[in-house]
Structures are given as C-alpha cells and as structure tokens.
Amino acid sequence: MNRGPSASCDDRPVTSLSLDPEPQDHQHGHAHSHGPAAPVSKHLRKVIAAVLIPFATAVLVGLVALWPGGAPSHERTGVGFDRQTQQGKVVKIDKVDCKDVDAGRQPTDETAPPSTSGGGRCARATVEVTSGPDKGRTFVEIVQPDAPRQLREGQGVVAAHAPDAPRELQYSVTDVDRRFPMTLLAGVFALVVVAVGRMRGVMALIALAVSFAVLTLFILPAILQGSNPLLVAVVGASAIMLIALYMCHGLSARTSVAVLGTLISLLLIGLLGSLFIGWASLTGNTDDSTGLIHGLYPDIDMSGLLLAGVIIGSLGVLDDVTVTQTSAVWELHRANPTLGVRGLYRAAIRIGRDHIASVVNTLVLAYAGAALPLLLLFSIARSGVGTVANSELVAEEIVRTLVGSIGLVASVPVTTALAALVVSADRTGLGAEAVAPAPVRAGKGRRRRTGP
C-alpha cells in the first residue's frame, strides 16, 4: 500500500489487504495497516458533526467574547520579574581586592550572596548597555568570589534598570543572556521532529506554535484583564485541543472521537479540581511569583488560576492518551472486522492499561522533579511525611497530580468505549471495505479473487 505523507491518503480506500484465511496473511495485513483510517459512513459523520460543530462554535464564541486585546498596563514595582530590563555586554573584567570595593553597592539580583567583608579577589566588571535609550552607557558590577554566577569578558547579560535610583546605581546585572543557546536548542528540536516525523512533524511544530499563540495572546492577557481564570482556561484549552488534534491527525472520525474523549476527561478534571481545591482550602498564592501577581492584580482569583493551570497542564498528556486509544481501536477493527463493540473494547483496554501505568508514573515524576528543591528543604528540616503533605506548597502539587491522573485514567475507558461504538456502528466505512472482495495479482498476468 502506498502511504505517502499527503493528507489525501486519509480518504484512500484500503484495497491491497489480503483476506485469505491463513494467519500469515492476517499478520501481513495488520503490519501494513497503520496508516490513516478509512472514512466512516455518512450517518456517523453526521452524528459526530452534530456534537463537534456546536462545541467548536461555542469555543469560537468564547474566544471572541473573552478576547482581551492585550495585557493591561500597570506601574512597574521594580521587584522580581516586574523590573525594567535592558540587554548588556561585559566589556572588561578587572580583579580587585574585596576590601577596597565599595561594599555599599550591592547588586539587585536577589540570588546574589551578601558581600564578603573579608579579603579575597573580587571581579570588577565593566558592562555596556546595548539596548534601550541608554545604549552605549557603561556601569560597574562587583562580583564576589563566592557568588554562584561569575561573569566573563564578552558575555551577554540582562541589566535591571531602576530610573529612580542615583545615576551610578541605576543599572545592575540581574541575569545572563541565554537567547543564543536556547534558540539553538529549539532549532535542534525542530530539526529532529521534522527528520523523524516528516510531514506529521511539520504539522506538529505548527500546532505547537499555534498553542503558544493561544496561550500568550489569549489565555494570559484575558486572565490579567480580570476574566474568570477557569472559564478562560476551558475556552483556551478547548481551542488548543481542536487546532492541535485536527492539524496533527487530520479531519477524520478517528480524530473526532479523540477530541470527544479529551473533552469529557477535561470536564472531569475541571469538576474534581474545583471540588478538591475548595475542599483543601488551597489559595494558589504560595510563592513569590504568585504573591507578586496578586499584588499587581488583586482582582485575579488565585485559586481559579491554580485550577486553570491544572486543566492546561493535563491537556498535553490527555491528547496523547486519547489519540493512542482511538488509533488502537481502529487498527484492531482493521485487523479483525468481525469484532463487535465488546470485543474491541476488551482488546483495546488491555493496551490502555499499559498506557495508564506509564503515563501516571510520568506525570507524578514530572511534578516531583519540578518540586525537587522544595522537597529537599523539607528533608533538611526533617519534617514528617504528614507535615510535608499538609503544607500548601506540597498540597497544591499533590492535588494537581492526583486530579490530573484521575482524568488521564478515566480517559482510557471513555475514549476506548466511544471509539468501539463508532467503529462498530459503521456499516459503509472500514468494515465494508475490508470484507469486499478485491482482485489481486497472483503471478504474471494472472488474477485470483479473494474470498469464497
């Protein structure tokens, strides 16, 4: 079977599968049947469209109604991420005695250690501002010998700007410029995805770009404008789901079933998250970042923001699970068109159980890895497991992990059942094509007919 990368192969009937009763022919047909699904009947297409078109319309209406038109302006506080910054470059490094350095001039970087009052050789860095209205201006940055980040000549840096400070203290180094290695890594990632995935990889990258656009142009500004974070997250996540799934996997009944399974699972995650975030009295305001957000925009519902994060964070893994389960049902039906709803469900759910075990473990380890520094602090403090789990910082991650995992586990039987019902109800799509006798070549100029 010719399986080109073009989208038109989604609607191409499968006519080269041998249906001889020998087992090896069944294996041969299955080995070559991992392409796009054959079209389903017109009746089923109408049923799926009757569900998805109103849903897509509601998402579009939600996007229009909640569209923010940009993030609201505010007066900068000069704290944390809310500082004015410019690009800079280290043009000169001199080693000086720390005793001779003006100890009163401290960098504004909160991660920098306090000045050493004893001896040692400090680095006196001359930094040139390379962007903004003060481009070309230089300032001096003193780096202590025990500072976690040392500067080198020619290195790009990020300079924090405090306009209200005295002129000699207006600029200070707050971070290094990592744009080039990050851009290079993103380029390598894109090349690997395209090299392995080919046209599917290209579509996946486009879908990824669209997802980031929805996140940065709609979800974040809409929340800052004061819209309900949960409503914004549901609308934004639904838009990302529709665009990404149909763009990556094609406009087909198989993708539509995956969309329905993902939607049902997201609704379950939203309900459970809302229940347990309220029941556990989680405020969503637990660290410096959320505290700063609450200080700048006190009208934002921080617990709603936490729930929005749970929904958006679960979406990516849900897509993977639902698409995999739907494809498993389609391939099982293609390998054995005589399987009914129950047979398809039992066979596919065995695949899903393996998927559940790996996905849940992945999700838990991902959250544990993100919270590893926090867990180390609790370990240093010799706190008990109950004390650690009861703290709001850890309780947030526990609720986030368990609610997301419940949604992932539930998505497997839900999607499998939907896919089995759709494929088994089809009478003119894959099943009909597979049982129809098709002439195949058996030798030089000879034809033999498959079937009785």
Side-chain angles (χ1 to χ4, degrees), residues 190-203:
L191 287 176
V192 170
V193 170
V194 173
V196 177
R198 299 187 180 180
M199 196 61 195
R200 286 291 181 92
V202 173
M203 299 307 294

Side-chain angles (χ1 to χ4, degrees), residues 220-251:
L220 299 180
I223 292 175
L224 291 178
Q225 289 280 14
S227 299
N228 185 283
L230 176 58
L231 183 60
V232 171
V234 169
V235 173
S238 299
I240 291 173
M241 174 184 66
L242 289 171
I243 295 171
L245 285 178
Y246 282 117
M247 186 173 290
C248 293
H249 304 285
L251 191 64

Side-chain angles (χ1 to χ4, degrees), residues 369-383:
L372 195 59
L374 177 64
L375 297 178
L376 283 175
L377 288 178
F378 280 110
S379 178
I380 293 170
R382 299 184 182 276
S383 301

